[in-house]
Amino acid sequence: MSDPKAPNIDKRDTPAWGLYQRENFWKANDGQVPPFNTDPGKLEELAKEKLTQNGWYYASSNAGQSYTHLANRQAFFRHRIIPRQLVDTNTRTTSTTIFGHKVSAPIGIAPIGINKIYHPLGELPVAKVAKELNIPYSLSTAGSQPIEAVAKANGQGPRFYQLYMPHDDELTISLLKRAWNNGFDVCMLTTDTWQLGWRHDDVATSNYAFYRGIGADLGLTDPVFQKRLAAAGIDPEKEPEKAGAMWIDNVWHGRAWSWEKMPWLIKTWKEISGGRPFCLKGIQSVADAKKAIEVGCDGIVVSNHAGRQVDGAIASLDALENIVDAVGDKLYIMYDSGVRGAADVVKALALGAKFVFVGRLWIWGLSIMGETGVRHVMKALLADLDILMNVAGLQNIGQIDRSLLGNSEPSCLA
């Protein structure tokens, strides 16, 4: 395997993540075993065993018949990596820069809400591990811990705030100020989830944690929302279900926003943050990517919400290819949806993404073993990337482009 005393290791500017493979191979000599299998399929199986039925349904459910989820995986399968040989990768680096932050890899923690249904500490262990590994952490407005607590857990780590925008400007401003005052220095508006998609298992089991009084901590600690609760005569201590419902009905409110509101939101965030980046998450069409540039966005996340919002939609990877061809040189393009391993990360980068967010993998780790589980999953993913770069002849992230890929069959672009 890898020699931990190899002289090239000291010359690398990022940790030798691949040594995590050796560390796990060695465990049997010390009477230990690795925490669990990180194969995505086995991860899901183990998470299903650990979670309650409702926790599992919420984490695993997709819109409709899961055709978009399937399309995401099929799109990755179509693209094949063509390794290069006899390349000196001994001092390779997995590092990159995102919005001024030098990070360990082009991999970040995607914003996912109500982590408390997966683990009692919710977002806190995830934020802690992200800081340890020096990868960006993204906090969802639907998070189940206060913004301030998540920031403390994340320490000096790079962190972004994902906004679900209420139809209450004062509340929106309050959320943005709390985020900025606690070190979240990029705002990312999710555009595809004014309300949840139709997810059969969740509907069939009345599976909505907020309506059970679970997971609304981020909102319940907001001073403006506290005023709204008081005006409505709701005591969150005595009526947690009503308080949770009022919060989430302000967030996933079912009332669409339009492009006309974007200049106000961008201006507001820029004034609060002193000009820090603003991005849109959920872009899938070239027309919307062009509109994002027109209104002044700094970046976009090409995403179909992992297939959880619109069934039968274009695969995110296919959308990425279209969008990069059209506007790839005009704004910072990130990717999200369907990532299950380092090969998927590399394929998204090769098709033109500058950065990739990962979601369900760390949710499974959190569900299985809390902080230890998140750490194991993310270190395994980083090791997978490091090893792939070594054996595929990649010296740095900048070398990953379309010349690395071959197609097994024509893609179905829309």
Side-chain angles (χ1 to χ4, degrees):
M1 293 303 100
S2 293
D3 179 2
K5 298 180 181 178
N8 58 289
I9 290 177
D10 290 339
K11 298 177 182 178
R12 296 183 60 183
D13 71 349
T14 49
W17 300 113
L19 289 179
Y20 193 55
Q21 181 190 59
R22 187 182 193 278
E23 179 182 329
N24 281 280
F25 280 143
W26 189 263
K27 283 183 182 293
N29 293 341
D30 297 328
Q32 301 175 0
V33 294
F36 48 81
N37 193 323
T38 55
D39 172 83
K42 293 182 173 65
L43 265 181
E44 287 195 32
E45 291 172 6
L46 187 53
K48 185 176 182 180
E49 293 174 10
K50 295 285 187 178
L51 288 168
T52 63
Q53 175 182 274
N54 283 355
W56 166 252
Y57 280 162
Y58 192 78
S60 64
S61 64
N62 301 302
Q65 298 179 72
S66 294
Y67 290 150
T68 304
H69 171 74
L70 176 62
N72 284 336
R73 295 305 307 144
Q74 289 174 332
F76 279 114
F77 183 77
R78 283 198 309 271
H79 294 280
R80 306 299 176 85
I81 295 169
I82 305 172
R84 299 296 302 273
Q85 304 303 317
L86 298 175
V87 177
D88 183 356
T89 57
N90 292 318
T91 58
R92 65 192 176 279
T93 176
T94 61
S95 70
T96 192
T97 301
I98 178 170
F99 297 128
H101 297 285
K102 185 175 182 181
V103 294
S104 294
I107 296 171
I109 299 292
I112 295 180
I114 42 175
N115 289 186
K116 279 188 178 179
I117 64 176
Y118 310 121
H119 189 273
L121 293 177
E123 290 75 11
L124 303 186
V126 189
K128 178 182 178 183
V129 170
K131 188 268 180 186
E132 288 177 9
L133 301 179
N134 189 32
I135 58 176
Y137 174 83
S138 304
L139 174 63
S140 169
T141 299
S144 53
Q145 289 280 7
I147 292 173
E148 296 76 10
V150 177
K152 183 176 180 181
N154 191 235
Q156 296 302 308
R159 50 185 178 266
F160 308 154
Y161 181 66
Q162 177 268 325
L163 175 67
Y164 287 119
M165 186 162 62
H167 278 271
D168 179 337
D169 288 353
E170 186 184 5
L171 178 54
T172 296
I173 291 169
S174 180
L175 292 169
L176 294 180
K177 284 183 175 179
R178 288 174 68 199
W180 170 250
N181 290 338
N182 285 279
F184 294 85
D185 69 355
V186 174
C187 179
M188 183 188 304
L189 173 72
T190 292
T191 60
D192 61 8
T193 312
W194 311 131
Q195 70 180 74
L196 300 188
W198 187 267
R199 305 170 190 172
H200 293 291
D201 288 336
D202 286 333
V203 175
T205 55
S206 298
N207 187 26
Y208 204 42
F210 295 105
Y211 284 5
R212 310 286 93 76
I214 299 168
D217 305 59
L218 191 150
L220 298 182
T221 51
D222 189 273
V224 172
F225 187 68
Q226 289 170 348
K227 289 195 303 181
R228 302 292 186 263
L229 284 172
I234 297 174
D235 183 341
E237 295 293 328
K238 296 178 181 178
E239 300 175 293
E241 294 86 357
K242 288 185 178 180
M246 184 172 170
W247 165 245
I248 203 60
D249 288 348
N250 268 271
V251 172
W252 292 329
H253 37 63
R255 298 164 56 200
W257 286 108
S258 67
W259 289 104
E260 284 68 28
K261 187 68 174 182
M262 293 305 97
W264 175 86
L265 180 59
I266 294 170
K267 180 174 181 289
T268 299
W269 169 250
K270 297 281 186 179
E271 288 176 349
I272 289 170
S273 67
R276 289 295 297 163
F278 177 89
C279 308
L280 295 179
K281 178 178 181 289
I283 300 300
Q284 297 165 72
S285 77
V286 170
D288 286 344
K290 290 180 176 178
K291 191 70 176 178
I293 296 169
E294 183 182 319
V295 299
C297 294
D298 300 289
I300 59 171
V301 183
V302 177
S303 168
N304 58 31
H305 218 99
R308 290 165 66 81
Q309 285 302 97
V310 177
D311 198 24
I314 185 173
S316 280
L317 202 68
D318 290 340
L320 172 69
E321 198 166 357
N322 292 342
I323 289 169
V324 168
D325 285 344
V327 298
D329 59 342
K330 294 180 175 65
L331 81 172
Y332 192 85
I333 298 177
M334 298 160 279
Y335 180 84
D336 166 283
S337 295
V339 174
R340 293 295 180 269
D344 296 340
V345 172
V346 168
K347 290 174 185 180
L349 295 172
L351 289 174
K354 300 298 184 186
F355 198 84
V356 177
F357 289 100
V358 176
R360 277 176 167 144
L361 290 179
W362 63 260
I363 282 292
W364 303 143
L366 180 67
S367 304
I368 294 165
M369 205 175 281
E371 179 183 320
T372 299
V374 176
R375 184 178 294 108
H376 182 50
V377 166
M378 295 310 297
K379 286 185 73 172
L381 182 60
L382 290 168
D384 189 10
L385 175 64
D386 188 27
I387 292 169
L388 188 154
M389 291 179 67
N390 195 20
V391 298
L394 297 167
Q395 298 166 318
N396 57 64
I397 299 302
Q399 291 180 348
I400 301 175
D401 59 25
R402 292 192 188 183
S403 68
L404 186 67
L405 298 183
N407 283 15
S408 62
E409 59 184 82
S411 61
C412 301
L413 300 181

